[in-house]
Amino acid sequence: MSDLFDYDAELRLHNDLFRTAARVGSRDRVLDIGCGTGQSTREAARAAVDGSAVGLDLSEPMLERARRLSDDQGLTNITFQQADAQVHAFPPARFDLCISRFGTMFFADPVAAFTNVGRALRPAGRLVMLVWQERDRNEWATAIRRTLTAASAAPHGPDAFSLADPVVTEGVLTAAGFADVTFTDVHEPVYYGPDSATAFDAVLRLWEVRELLATLDTAAAEQARARLRTTLDAHTTDGGVYFDSRAWIVTAHRRR
């Protein structure tokens, strides 16, 4: 599993705020969308001592790790499914709370996807998610991209910043049947490792970095890697390698 990027380490400062915002109750039935290796799902399961938690993700390798970690920790009220939340046939009104830690930004049709997720929530059920703010407010995206290539345009492929605009996101959620939409600013750095060598290995596992390097010839790619190492050196502190970031905690309720 060494080829998997460690999102839990990257987002450790965000995760504390997200867990507090989720306010998982002891009897809650929780759905975690884009759960990855399941940290947020496991935390929900531990809080929902008389409830349950279901983690959903597209990546089977991540889910394999999630299941193994959950078994190792003795959690019995947790399950994981490989499925696409945009179209998955959820049991209607099954869940009290839907959480997602940076797992909802890649929907092809956001209104249809959130409508589908909303059907899985009971009336007045809660949605709590972390999403990135604009790309230019996220140093981890802009600085690394500038290091690897002189291109200034945003890359093709999944858009991690599709829910960055509160007006747009509130419109999507309202159209999908949600109400009482709120946005809370999160200004915490992302963490890439204890030193630049570890961070270098970690960053090379990011999909956008792999995509950018794949567009370069051998010599240019080697130069880009050297610049990346220099950039990581410049962001190394006594506590590790950090890049600035901004995110939103978005909350909403399914309309009754």
Side-chain angles (χ1 to χ4, degrees), residues 132-142 161 245-246:
W132 296 116
Q133 294 186 29
E134 293 83 357
R135 176 182 288 273
D136 61 9
R137 304 196 82 191
N138 280 280
E139 184 186 35
W140 60 268
T142 57
F161 309 98
S245 80
R246 297 296 281 262

Side-chain angles (χ1 to χ4, degrees), residues 5-14 132 140 189-192:
F5 181 77
D6 190 350
Y7 290 101
D8 295 340
E10 179 197 28
L11 302 171
R12 60 187 187 183
L13 297 176
H14 294 74
W132 296 116
W140 60 268
V190 294
Y191 172 79
Y192 285 147

Side-chain angles (χ1 to χ4, degrees), residues 6-55:
D6 190 350
Y7 290 101
D8 295 340
E10 179 197 28
L11 302 171
R12 60 187 187 183
L13 297 176
H14 294 74
N15 195 66
D16 291 342
L17 299 172
F18 180 62
R19 184 174 58 248
T20 299
R23 294 188 291 106
V24 177
S26 62
R27 296 181 181 275
D28 278 347
R29 297 166 299 175
V30 183
L31 172 65
D32 186 3
I33 293 175
C35 66
T37 56
Q39 180 184 41
S40 49
T41 324
R42 290 188 295 277
E43 291 176 347
R46 281 191 286 269
V49 291
D50 297 314
S52 61
V54 176

Side-chain angles (χ1 to χ4, degrees), residues 141-159:
T142 57
I144 289 176
R145 181 171 177 78
R146 282 196 303 268
T147 295
L148 295 175
T149 176
S152 58
H156 298 294
D159 184 2

